[in-house]
Amino acid sequence: MTLFPLKIDDKNKMTNNLKTTISKTLLMLSTTALLASTSSAYAALSSTVTATSDYMFNGVSQTQNNPALQASLDYAADAGWYVGAFTSNVDFGSGDDTWLELDAYAGNYFQLTDKFSLDAGLAYYTYHGDDASSDYNYPELYTKFGYDSSIGHSELNFWYTWDYFGYSGSHYIGMIAHTFTLAEGHDIRFSFDRSTSGDIQKWAWDENRAYNHYRIAYMTNIKSFDLTVSAEDTSMNVDTADARFVVSVARTFDF
């Protein structure tokens, strides 16, 4: 998934078409959960189908504030290695016929101790539907640290690319998050992340080098369906990144 940047020389044209790249790796939260629950003794194949009221990444809509239908296919091998793919409809605004995102990722999940974990890998994001869609394709490295305690699960996550959205400029994201259990089967996750352009001459966020994103999410499972209701906002003043509620329903199938 992708955060759509704002190229300086196209500010006036693109301010209303700001979009986001899943920074891709929120995309892989479901994969991390699968790996955390999968022992190194066997491999696992699963697929997740998600319907969401808005395809958000780091607080920016990838669908012009409209719903999305998404799917992923994940294979977790012995010793923590995994590969996966993700797809979703997207909408980058008028003048751009890109409608499909298709991503691939691979990495390794390490259970370092009974409390500490590490997930590191590489993702590649591709876009389809417009003659220029492939120009947006780009790779991204990610590293996610986890810590489990009596008060829940804490995260420190990082993403980095040297060719953000095909603009030959670097971009990085840092996130802190914590999930705790209200009651059995009812979780709350708080997160804060900051997205930063390495070259504001190639990419800017609402005419700035960086922006902040705040999110709180309630998560539960109802008859094998994962329900997430979140509230989020950013420090940007754009229509596709303002305060909102998002509802998502997902179903995971194990093979």
Side-chain angles (χ1 to χ4, degrees):
M1 307 161 199
T2 255
L3 293 170
F4 192 83
L6 189 57
K7 194 177 180 183
I8 291 299
D9 58 359
D10 287 335
K11 283 181 187 174
N12 293 334
K13 175 182 177 182
M14 299 174 69
T15 296
N16 294 328
N17 294 334
L18 185 66
K19 31 188 192 208
T20 197
T21 167
I22 186 179
S23 188
K24 287 12 176 154
T25 1
L26 289 182
L27 143 83
M28 285 171 279
L29 286 176
S30 59
T31 303
T32 301
L34 169 66
L35 293 165
S37 62
T38 302
S39 74
S40 60
Y42 62 94
L45 179 66
S46 68
S47 178
T48 300
V49 178
T50 303
T52 180
S53 62
D54 200 343
Y55 174 11
M56 302 296 293
F57 179 70
N58 288 3
V60 184
S61 175
Q62 296 282 277
T63 48
Q64 296 294 300
N65 306 324
N66 291 313
L69 182 62
Q70 305 168 338
S72 67
L73 182 65
D74 299 288
Y75 178 77
D78 293 347
W81 290 101
Y82 62 88
V83 296
F86 169 90
T87 189
S88 176
N89 61 289
V90 296
D91 183 355
F92 293 162
S94 60
D96 191 327
D97 292 330
T98 302
W99 66 273
L100 179 69
E101 176 184 341
L102 180 59
D103 310 329
Y105 44 90
N108 199 350
Y109 177 87
F110 304 89
Q111 189 65 52
L112 302 176
T113 70
D114 60 341
K115 295 183 178 295
F116 289 95
S117 63
L118 168 64
D119 182 11
L122 172 68
Y124 191 75
Y125 312 106
T126 70
Y127 301 88
H128 309 270
D130 190 274
D131 291 340
S133 294
S134 61
D135 293 342
Y136 305 151
N137 300 352
Y138 71 97
E140 187 174 62
L141 297 169
Y142 59 89
T143 303
K144 298 181 284 183
F145 299 91
Y147 176 73
D148 291 303
S149 67
S150 59
I151 58 172
H153 179 72
S154 301
E155 304 167 44
L156 181 61
N157 305 327
F158 301 96
W159 295 266
Y160 172 79
T161 179
W162 54 95
D163 184 25
Y164 189 65
F165 216 61
Y167 279 92
S168 301
S170 63
H171 187 273
Y172 52 94
I173 302 167
M175 171 189 285
I176 56 174
H178 184 77
T179 302
F180 67 92
T181 299
L182 286 175
E184 184 176 357
H186 301 273
D187 296 330
I188 296 290
R189 183 177 188 264
F190 296 94
S191 62
F192 168 82
D193 51 85
R194 183 172 176 84
S195 297
T196 305
S197 171
D199 187 344
I200 196 172
Q201 297 303 317
K202 295 181 177 179
W203 190 281
W205 290 110
D206 195 22
E207 302 187 10
N208 295 303
R209 184 167 180 256
Y211 77 93
N212 299 326
H213 170 225
Y214 323 89
R215 182 175 185 264
I216 179 174
Y218 165 74
M219 301 172 290
T220 190
N221 182 278
I222 302 174
K223 297 185 180 299
S224 299
F225 287 89
D226 294 315
L227 172 66
T228 301
V229 180
S230 63
E232 51 193 291
D233 197 3
T234 74
S235 58
M236 294 191 291
N237 184 28
V238 293
D239 177 63
T240 51
D242 55 8
R244 69 193 61 206
F245 290 99
V246 179
V247 179
S248 300
V249 178
R251 176 70 183 268
T252 297
F253 303 90
D254 297 317
F255 304 106

